[in-house]
Amino acid sequence: MRKQRGLLIVLSGPSGVGKGTVRKELFSQPNTNYEYSISMTTRLPREGEVDEVDYFFKTRNEFEELIEQDQLLEWAEFVGNYYGTPLEYVNKMRDAGRDVFLEIEVQGAAQVRAKVPDGLFIFLAPPSLTDLETRLIGRGTETDDVIASRLQAARQELEMMNLYDYVVENDLVEHACERINAIIIAEHCKRERVEKRYFDMLKENA
Amino acid sequence: MRKQRGLLIVLSGPSGVGKGTVRKELFSQPNTNYEYSISMTTRLPREGEVDEVDYFFKTRNEFEELIEQDQLLEWAEFVGNYYGTPLEYVNKMRDAGRDVFLEIEVQGAAQVRAKVPDGLFIFLAPPSLTDLETRLIGRGTETDDVIASRLQAARQELEMMNLYDYVVENDLVEHACERINAIIIAEHCKRERVEKRYFDMLKENA
């Protein structure tokens, strides 16, 4: 039986939420069977960094050409250097039936969402969201202004969730990883993904 | 923070697929934290069976009254006795934030799907579906009639999947249970389920 097309898994969330820590923990587990998407950058390789392993290293001209050709799933410029996710690498992996994992900032995730509607978007939520209510209400002695500004901040965090399929609370790195792995297993069992293979097979044999 | 409403998890699939075995394995695991929905029946208790533990035992009159009042999530008559799933019990558990697990026949699952649109429907697929292709093509020596009747049978199995959210292949009971548990964890992380609690909270504190 031919394989399902690989998933594109996008892990994102507000800065400081611990995306990198969770990603490292996921990829340190021996049974992790998805690919970490290698980023592309115009910054120079640091000592020990290997092209096509740590990054795809490109010149500014090459990078800008790829932007023009719409060959980047998402990109941004930081401190004079471009960083981005090459579309070709991701598609090649997915076509080979491999799941690809991106860990990116929310701005990048929004770009990917627009380009890959069947992507799997996981929002890593700050651990402090568990006690959002406590933070909002506080000790009951806060001024209306303080409560209003807390509500405003909470609302902005929540609105960022809007583009995502799942919300994983980063209360404990191990728990967050368990939930992310469960989400990936579940997505592979989604009826729309599974039945397509069977129906295609029936068509071919009809 | 108030709890999510509990999920209604419905495990079903063609007869003979091993639903009962998978359900027993799930409920033998120490970390299973969902409730098995107790069925209602008009048959007499067997030795050792306890009312409200093994079944809710009812008279035919009582059962028929519940049918009329639409108090059964699903029901059927077998060999002169009614069997069904009481709606009140399921709702009480879910309102208390407990996930409720039903293991029922496909006809019953179709009734539940119509009544509980937010239910979580898992189709347990025959292990032989993995080699559906092999079965269809056979040794390449089958007559067109044989292949046509195999296609017909396969199509009927697949059409039963149609009402379900997930398809879990029962290749190995342990694997099937792992996937079912992953699906339940993932469903609790669905953005629509999680964000509602936060938005409700913001509204209350606004």
Side-chain angles (χ1 to χ4, degrees):
Chain A
M1 184 188 304
R2 74 201 57 60
K3 282 177 112 169
Q4 267 183 52
R5 188 165 193 241
L7 303 172
L8 177 65
I9 305 150
V10 178
L11 181 70
S12 191
S15 29
V17 75
K19 296 187 286 294
T21 312
V22 168
R23 187 252 301 161
K24 275 178 206 139
E25 174 62 25
L26 285 169
F27 281 92
S28 76
Q29 294 170 357
N31 56 346
T32 290
N33 61 352
Y34 34 86
E35 304 290 335
Y36 181 57
S37 166
I38 302 165
S39 291
M40 191 171 275
T41 185
T42 56
R43 81 154 165 73
L44 294 174
R46 293 184 190 135
E47 175 132 5
E49 283 184 343
V50 179
D51 190 27
E52 302 187 11
V53 173
D54 297 293
Y55 281 97
F56 296 105
F57 292 104
K58 299 283 171 190
T59 64
R60 284 189 73 86
N61 275 349
E62 287 170 331
F63 203 104
E64 284 168 358
E65 210 166 294
L66 290 169
I67 294 173
E68 268 171 42
Q69 295 167 354
D70 210 18
Q71 284 296 308
L72 291 160
L73 255 181
E74 53 90 28
W75 64 274
E77 197 170 2
F78 294 114
V79 222
N81 286 308
Y82 287 121
Y83 293 84
T85 303
L87 185 62
E88 198 194 344
Y89 173 83
V90 169
N91 281 342
K92 213 156 59 179
M93 287 292 172
R94 296 185 69 195
D95 290 342
R98 303 284 302 162
D99 295 339
V100 180
F101 188 97
L102 300 187
E103 177 240 311
I104 49 179
E105 301 300 325
V106 285
Q107 292 78 2
Q111 294 179 47
V112 181
R113 177 97 264 184
K115 287 189 187 167
V116 188
D118 73 339
L120 177 55
F121 290 77
I122 303 174
F123 185 86
L124 195 67
S128 55
L129 271 182
T130 37
D131 45 30
L132 175 62
E133 194 157 28
T134 320
R135 283 194 290 140
L136 288 173
I137 303 169
R139 294 199 194 93
T141 55
E142 277 76 2
T143 63
D144 287 354
D145 277 2
V146 170
I147 292 178
S149 92
R150 283 183 187 166
L151 271 168
Q152 178 60 18
R155 198 160 275 130
Q156 281 175 354
E157 280 179 344
L158 295 186
E159 272 159 17
M160 286 166 62
M161 285 186 187
N162 215 28
L163 290 174
Y164 294 77
D165 304 301
Y166 295 94
V167 176
V168 166
E169 215 180 86
N170 191 15
D171 49 355
L172 204 67
V173 173
E174 290 71 21
H175 289 176
C177 291
E178 263 175 45
R179 291 180 197 125
I180 291 169
N181 284 324
I183 289 168
I184 296 169
I185 292 171
E187 283 286 320
H188 279 290
C189 294
K190 279 242 178 116
R191 196 240 312 150
E192 309 90 82
R193 289 211 167 83
V194 178
E195 73 178 2
K196 196 183 170 307
R197 289 182 297 158
Y198 293 119
F199 281 121
D200 286 352
M201 202 182 294
L202 289 181
K203 256 185 253 160
E204 281 167 31
N205 290 296
Chain B
M1 186 188 302
R2 74 202 55 60
K3 284 177 111 169
Q4 267 182 52
R5 189 165 192 240
L7 302 172
L8 177 66
I9 305 150
V10 178
L11 180 71
S12 191
S15 28
V17 74
K19 297 187 286 295
T21 312
V22 168
R23 186 252 301 160
K24 275 178 206 139
E25 174 63 24
L26 284 170
F27 281 92
S28 76
Q29 294 169 359
N31 55 346
T32 290
N33 61 353
Y34 34 87
E35 304 290 335
Y36 181 57
S37 165
I38 302 165
S39 291
M40 192 172 276
T41 185
T42 57
R43 82 155 165 71
L44 294 174
R46 294 184 190 134
E47 176 131 5
E49 283 184 343
V50 178
D51 190 28
E52 303 187 11
V53 174
D54 297 293
Y55 281 96
F56 295 104
F57 292 104
K58 298 284 171 189
T59 65
R60 285 189 74 84
N61 276 350
E62 287 170 332
F63 203 105
E64 284 168 358
E65 209 166 296
L66 290 169
I67 294 174
E68 267 170 44
Q69 295 168 352
D70 209 18
Q71 284 296 307
L72 291 161
L73 254 181
E74 53 89 30
W75 64 274
E77 196 169 2
F78 293 114
V79 223
N81 286 308
Y82 288 121
Y83 293 83
T85 303
L87 185 62
E88 197 194 344
Y89 174 83
V90 168
N91 281 342
K92 213 157 59 179
M93 287 293 173
R94 296 185 70 195
D95 290 342
R98 302 285 302 162
D99 295 340
V100 181
F101 188 97
L102 300 188
E103 176 240 311
I104 50 179
E105 301 300 324
V106 285
Q107 293 77 2
Q111 294 179 47
V112 180
R113 176 98 263 184
K115 287 189 188 168
V116 188
D118 74 339
L120 177 55
F121 289 78
I122 303 174
F123 185 86
L124 195 67
S128 54
L129 273 181
T130 37
D131 46 28
L132 175 63
E133 193 156 29
T134 320
R135 283 194 289 140
L136 288 174
I137 304 168
R139 294 199 193 93
T141 56
E142 276 77 2
T143 62
D144 288 355
D145 278 1
V146 169
I147 292 178
S149 92
R150 283 183 188 166
L151 271 168
Q152 179 60 18
R155 199 160 276 131
Q156 281 176 354
E157 279 179 342
L158 294 187
E159 273 159 16
M160 286 166 63
M161 285 185 190
N162 216 27
L163 291 174
Y164 294 77
D165 304 301
Y166 296 94
V167 176
V168 166
E169 215 179 85
N170 191 15
D171 50 354
L172 204 67
V173 174
E174 290 71 21
H175 289 175
C177 291
E178 261 174 47
R179 292 179 197 127
I180 292 168
N181 283 324
I183 289 167
I184 296 169
I185 292 171
E187 283 285 323
H188 279 290
C189 296
K190 279 240 178 118
R191 196 240 312 150
E192 309 90 82
R193 288 209 167 83
V194 177
E195 72 179 3
K196 196 183 171 303
R197 289 182 297 160
Y198 294 120
F199 283 121
D200 287 351
M201 201 182 296
L202 289 182
K203 256 184 253 160
E204 281 167 31
N205 290 297

